[in-house]
Amino acid sequence: MAMEVFVGNLPLETTAHDLRGLVGYTEQPVYFRIVRKRARSGEIICYGVASAPSEEMGRRLIERLSRMELGGRRLVAREYVRRNYGNERRAVDWRSRPWHGPERRRGERRAT
């Protein structure tokens, strides 16, 4: 089964080719995707997602990348966890549960 690996703390100018060069030769191909996003603080962050063909290779990739530096920055590698678009802190059935708090709309100035 395939595994995706998060590679964080990358310099902004990093390319997929740079990460491929760090990893070196692997018996099966590993594909890299670079993501650049604006953080809440306003700064732009850069991270990569590697697609390893097997879980074993993904674990070896994490171990290898966790010990490396790129552009003077120590890399962070861990298993990639896809985030749900919804708020993960809510209960699964939050829409069907009754709300016992104050009604938000009644407190607005236009409601009076």
Side-chain angles (χ1 to χ4, degrees):
M1 189 165 131
M3 178 180 185
E4 290 185 314
V5 176
F6 169 85
V7 184
N9 202 24
L10 296 175
L12 285 177
E13 61 276 357
T14 305
T15 64
H17 186 71
D18 295 336
L19 285 178
R20 184 78 195 120
L22 276 179
V23 171
Y25 172 78
T26 56
E27 56 273 2
Q28 296 173 329
V30 177
Y31 300 99
F32 290 94
R33 184 176 82 231
I34 301 295
V35 179
R36 289 176 183 82
K37 296 175 99 170
R38 187 169 303 277
R40 287 184 179 161
S41 64
E43 70 175 317
I44 298 175
I45 58 172
C46 181
Y47 65 90
V49 179
S51 297
S54 68
E55 192 168 328
E56 178 188 342
M57 181 173 276
R59 300 274 174 228
R60 284 188 279 154
L61 196 60
I62 290 170
E63 187 179 320
R64 187 183 302 178
L65 287 170
S66 293
R67 295 179 288 179
M68 295 188 166
E69 285 189 11
L70 181 63
R73 295 174 155 206
R74 183 152 182 94
L75 299 182
V76 175
R78 61 172 168 75
E79 186 173 354
Y80 182 75
V81 180
R82 293 195 179 275
R83 302 290 185 207
N84 191 351
Y85 67 89
N87 189 341
E88 296 173 344
R89 294 172 289 182
R90 292 182 181 160
V92 175
D93 61 344
W94 71 273
R95 290 181 192 266
S96 62
R97 289 185 180 182
W99 176 253
H100 298 294
E103 178 61 41
R104 176 181 56 90
R105 291 171 284 191
R106 291 205 180 154
E108 290 183 355
R109 64 176 169 79
R110 297 177 300 211
T112 55

